[in-house]
Amino acid sequence: MAAASVALVAGVLSAPAAQADSKGDIRITKVVVNHGKNVVVGTSGRFTYPIAVTVKDNHGVKGLTRVSTFSRDHLLGFAAWTGTSCKETSATTSVCTATMTIDPAWAPVLTDKVNRVAGVWVVNADAKAKDGDFCEGDGIASYKVKRASRLTIDATPQQVAKNGTLTVKGKLTRANWETLKNPGFAGQTVRLQFKKSGTSSYSTVKTVTTDSTGRLSAKVKITASGTWRWSFSGTTTTAAGSSTGNSVKLK
């Protein structure tokens, strides 16, 4: 925990330099964060994700000497660099994968407005070659860190006569990194979707806007048995998601 905390502070204080320094022919050619997917952080549990950095040098690559990542707009972040492994793909090229760890409990320590760091994050990394060459890569990649969302659903009754009315309720919540709670997410458009029995895909029946507490409610006519769910497309700072399916049968 102590080692992770030190790395965390370094990540918070780092900022992209105006120019990157380098010596020799070493260069960073590619960076992939979390296998190309968004990093989604809730309010509990540690989350680890990789930053894969491809490095080339005529005499071979020794490894990474610095990795940090943080909000592009606020220069704050709560991801700790907790390990690195390098794999040679040729005599001159290695893929060095840094393991980053996020614990939501670290977030409130940064600032009382830590929710603002959700969105685009950048990566800084330094690499060293076996012959002593080095390069400093500032702002070498960008990706999104989003607040986790969750949708619930409750469709009643479970059996409905054909052309009868079904009431579908639910709630959309999202992670608040400042309080480590999951309050309702107000004013968001959510799709009510239906998958007819015997089919494999959902179609949107109607859209509903969450109320001031994140709650949803809709009434629909039933013409076939199947499964209902709520689906949320997400925002630039909040992850997309869907509720579990709620099966309803015709009487």
Side-chain angles (χ1 to χ4, degrees):
M1 181 62 186
S5 297
V6 171
L8 174 70
V9 172
V12 171
L13 297 180
S14 295
Q19 288 185 327
D21 195 9
S22 63
K23 172 190 173 184
D25 63 295
I26 188 172
R27 63 193 186 278
I28 294 171
T29 61
K30 184 179 180 181
V31 181
V32 179
V33 181
N34 197 32
H35 308 292
K37 300 177 181 178
N38 294 332
V39 172
V40 179
V41 181
T43 57
S44 63
R46 292 190 177 186
F47 178 80
T48 61
Y49 62 99
I51 298 179
V53 183
T54 301
V55 186
K56 291 186 177 183
D57 184 89
N58 287 344
H59 293 86
V61 177
K62 186 172 184 179
L64 302 178
T65 58
R66 175 188 64 133
V67 181
S68 61
T69 181
F70 41 82
S71 165
R72 178 192 63 189
D73 298 324
H74 301 285
L75 305 185
L76 292 171
F78 49 100
W81 176 26
T82 53
T84 306
S85 63
C86 290
K87 181 179 180 180
E88 287 188 357
T89 58
S90 72
T92 61
T93 305
S94 291
V95 177
C96 293
T97 302
T99 298
M100 309 306 294
T101 300
I102 287 181
D103 187 331
W106 295 337
V109 177
L110 298 181
T111 171
D112 59 357
K113 296 181 180 179
V114 71
N115 286 330
R116 64 181 176 168
V117 305
V120 179
W121 283 31
V122 294
V123 176
N124 288 356
D126 297 348
K128 190 172 183 178
K130 292 179 179 179
D131 61 0
D133 290 353
F134 67 89
C135 65
E136 296 177 355
D138 292 334
I140 56 176
S142 63
Y143 63 104
K144 289 184 178 179
V145 177
K146 294 192 173 188
R147 297 160 65 178
S149 67
R150 182 171 180 265
L151 272 167
T152 61
I153 187 170
D154 181 21
T156 56
Q158 294 297 300
Q159 290 189 331
V160 185
K162 190 171 183 178
N163 294 317
T165 299
L166 178 73
T167 300
V168 187
K169 296 184 178 181
K171 187 174 183 179
L172 173 65
T173 59
R174 68 168 170 170
N176 186 322
W177 297 335
E178 296 163 10
T179 63
L180 300 183
K181 295 181 180 180
N182 296 276
F185 195 7
Q188 301 303 305
T189 299
V190 180
R191 301 184 307 279
L192 179 61
Q193 298 183 323
F194 177 67
K195 181 176 68 173
K196 187 177 179 180
S197 295
T199 64
S200 59
S201 60
Y202 283 91
S203 59
T204 298
V205 175
K206 63 169 56 180
T207 58
V208 179
T209 301
T210 57
D211 68 12
S212 60
T213 63
R215 297 190 181 280
L216 296 154
S217 183
K219 292 184 182 295
V220 290
K221 284 190 176 183
I222 298 299
T223 58
S225 297
T227 305
W228 294 84
R229 74 176 184 183
W230 292 108
S231 183
F232 175 56
S233 297
T235 69
T236 56
T237 60
T238 304
S242 299
S243 69
T244 57
N246 197 158
S247 295
V248 176
K249 294 181 179 180
L250 288 180
K251 288 183 178 179

